Amino acid sequence: MNPRILAVTTGRILRQLRHDRRTVALLLVVPALLLTLVYYMYADQPAPPGGVSTFDRIALVMLGFFPFVIMFLVTSIAMLRERTNGTLERLLTTPLAKADLLFGYGIAFGLAGAVQATVASALAYWVFDLNTAGGSELVIMIAALNAVLAVALGLFCSAFARTEFQAVQFMPVVVAPQLLLCGLFVPRDEMAGWLQAVSDVLPLSYAVEALQEVGAHAEPTGTMWRDLTVVVGATVLALVLAAATLRRRSG
Amino acid sequence: MEDAIVLRDLVVDRGRRRVLHGISCAVPRGVVAGLLGPSGSGKTTLMRAVVGVQTVGGGTVTVLGRPAGSTDLRRRVGYLTQAPSVYADLTVRENARYFAALHGRSRADADRAVADVGLSAAAGQLVGTLSGGQRSRASLACALVGEPELIVLDEPTVGQDPVLRADLWGRFHELAASGVTLLVSSHVMDEASRCDRLLLIREGRLIADDTPDAVRAAAGVSDLDEAFLRLIRASEAGSAVAAGAVGTGGEAS
Ligand SMILES: Nc1ncnc2c1ncn2[C@@H]1O[C@H](COP(=O)(O)OP(=O)(O)O)[C@@H](O)[C@H]1O
Ligand SMILES: [Mg+2]
C-alpha cells in the first residue's frame, strides 16, 4: 500500500461522486424524508410507560441503517462499473496495490456515510427531539463504521454480479435479513434459538446493539465497544474476501 | 540491449478453446511494432499476456527482461485496452491526472498527455459526453501519461479521423526515437506500413515477424495487403513453407 496512491484514489472516488449531483442530493435528502415519515407515523402513539418512545427507538436504529444500506448499494454498483468498464483491469496493471483501491473505497464512501449520518442525526436531534442517553457523536461514529462495513460487503458482493440489475438484487439478499434479525422488530433474546444463532453471525446485529447501548447509557459501555470490535472485525474479513476477488490475471 | 518483449511458445486457452498456438517472437527496444491480424485472431489476447493480465497455458513471456506481470513492470509498462477504460463520470483532465498520479507524475504531465492526443479543448468535459473516438483518445492519454518504457496499445487509432491518426503515429515514432518500445495492434492493414516491425497473426498463429520491407520482399509484392494475403496462402499451403518464411517456432506445443 502506498499513502500517495491511496490518497489520490480516495480523491478520485469522491470526485466521481461529486460529479453526480443527483446522487449526492438523494444521499442527503432521502434519510431526512424517511425520518420525517417515521416521526409523523408515531407522533400520536403514546410512549410505553417508563420506556423510550417508539420514534426514539426506531430513529436511532435508522440513523445507523441508512449509511449501511445506501453505501452497500453505491459501492456494489461503483465497483461493478470498475469491473465491467475495464478500469479495474487497467488499474491492476499500474503501481496501484489492491489495498489502495479497497481502502480508497472504504475511506471515500465511509466519509460519505459519515456526512449522511451527520445530516440525518442533526435533523433527528434538533427537529424531531430524538433522545439518547449517550452523545450524538457516538451515534455518528457507529453510523460511519456501518458505512465502512457496507462498503466492504459491497466490494465483495460486486464480484458475483455481472450486471447492475444483478448487483441491485444483492441488496435484499445481504441487507434485508440483517435488518429483520437485528433486534429492531423483535428483541434478539425473544427470538427462536435458531434465529438468534443466525442473528449472532450477522454484523448489523452488533451495530444495532451498539446504537441501543448509546440510547440507554450516558457513557460508552463495554458492550458497545465489544460490538464495535465485532463490526470492525467483520469489515476486515469482508475486505480480505474482497481482495481475493481482485485477480490481476484472468482467462 | 535485450529485447523489450520475448515470447517463447506462448499458448493461451480462453473458454476451453486454444486462442494462441505456441507463439514465439521478439520485439527489440525503441521500435514501433505492429501487431496485425483480422478480428478474432488473438491480438488482444497476446497483448494481455504481455501486460500480464492473461492467464497463460504454456510458454514464457519476458518483458523488459522480467517475467510478464512482475510487480516492478507495473510502473514500466503502459496498457491501452481495446475498449476505452476511463471513468465516464470524470472529466478528461481528471482521468489523466488520476492515472498520472498513480505513476507518480505531475498535473503538468497529465495536461501534456491530454494535449498530445489532441483533447486540450475537451479537457474539462466529462468523458461520458465524448464521442467514441474522443473517448478512446482520453483512454490513450491515460496510457501514455506514466511515461512507460513499453507501451502496449490495443487498436488505438480505430475510429479516429485521418489527420489525427497521422498525428498519433507521428507521436508513436517520436516516442520510439526516444527509446520507448510500442506494441500497437490494428486490424487495418493500411497501418502496417507505418510500423518499424510487423507481427502478423492469424487464427492464433504468427505468420510473419519482420520489417515491412522484408515482408514485401518475402512475398514478392510491394503492396503489404497483397503480401499478407500471399503469406497466408503460403502458410495454409504447407507448414514447411510457413516454418521457412517466418518464426512460428516450428512444432506446435
Ligand atoms: N473472455 C473470453 N472468453 C473466451 N473466449 C474469448 C474471450 N475473449 C476472447 N475470446 C476468443 O479468443 C479469440 C481471440 O480473441 P481476441 O484476442 O480478442 O482477438 P482480436 O483482438 O484479434 O480480435 C476469439 O476467438 C475470441 O472469441
Ligand atoms: Mg482485440
Side-chain angles (χ1 to χ4, degrees), chain A residues 148-183:
Chain A
V148 180
L149 169 67
V151 171
L153 291 172
L155 291 171
F156 175 61
C157 289
S158 74
F160 303 97
R162 289 277 158 275
T163 65
E164 295 185 9
F165 280 154
Q166 293 175 7
V168 172
Q169 304 300 322
F170 281 116
M171 194 183 78
V173 173
V174 172
V175 173
Q178 302 210 54
L179 178 63
L180 292 174
L181 296 179
C182 74

Side-chain angles (χ1 to χ4, degrees), chain A residues 34-70:
Chain A
L34 291 178
L35 275 173
T36 309
L37 190 71
V38 171
Y39 178 78
Y40 284 107
M41 274 166 65
Y42 291 103
D44 299 331
Q45 300 263 322
V52 278
S53 77
T54 313
F55 173 76
D56 282 358
R57 195 168 63 81
I58 296 180
L60 179 59
V61 173
M62 282 175 84
L63 289 177
F65 184 67
F66 288 133
F68 181 76
V69 58
I70 304 218

Side-chain angles (χ1 to χ4, degrees), chain A residues 19 50 80 96 100 117 133-134 149 151 172 178 190 221 234 241 249-250:
Chain A
H19 277 297
L80 181 72
L96 168 132
D100 293 322
L149 169 67
V151 171
Q178 302 210 54
E190 292 170 21
T221 63
L241 292 174
R249 273 184 199 272
S250 60

Side-chain angles (χ1 to χ4, degrees), chain B residues 44 82 154-155:
Chain B
T44 298
Q82 183 167 1
D154 201 352
E155 311 218 6

Side-chain angles (χ1 to χ4, degrees), chain A residues 3-149:
Chain A
R4 184 181 49 80
I5 290 183
L6 174 60
V8 296
T9 301
T10 307
R12 183 266 295 175
I13 295 163
L14 285 172
R15 206 161 286 128
Q16 285 178 284
L17 188 59
R18 211 187 55 203
H19 277 297
D20 189 352
R21 299 258 168 76
R22 196 171 302 182
T23 294
V24 173
L26 288 170
L27 283 181
L28 298 180
V29 170
V30 170
L33 288 178
L34 291 178
L35 275 173
T36 309
L37 190 71
V38 171
Y39 178 78
Y40 284 107
M41 274 166 65
Y42 291 103
D44 299 331
Q45 300 263 322
V52 278
S53 77
T54 313
F55 173 76
D56 282 358
R57 195 168 63 81
I58 296 180
L60 179 59
V61 173
M62 282 175 84
L63 289 177
F65 184 67
F66 288 133
F68 181 76
V69 58
I70 304 218
M71 292 308 145
F72 176 76
L73 255 187
V74 168
T75 308
S76 330
I77 300 227
M79 192 62 190
L80 181 72
R81 285 190 189 159
E82 294 255 26
R83 290 176 194 274
T84 53
N85 293 350
T87 47
L88 177 64
E89 175 167 298
R90 178 180 225 165
L91 286 178
L92 292 178
T93 67
T94 72
L96 168 132
K98 292 176 189 174
D100 293 322
L101 185 65
L102 297 173
F103 284 89
Y105 271 106
I107 296 172
F109 289 147
L111 276 175
V115 170
Q116 181 183 48
T118 307
V119 171
S121 300
L123 181 81
Y125 278 100
W126 288 334
V127 179
F128 297 137
D129 267 334
L130 173 67
N131 271 308
T132 52
S136 59
E137 71 287 345
L138 287 174
V139 173
I140 293 171
M141 178 190 74
I142 296 169
L145 287 177
N146 261 356
V148 180
L149 169 67

Side-chain angles (χ1 to χ4, degrees), chain B residues 2 22 52 59 69 84 117 122 125 132 146-147 157-158 176 197 220 238 252:
Chain B
E2 71 199 333
V117 298
Q125 203 174 327
E147 294 170 32
T157 58
V158 170
R197 290 197 66 87

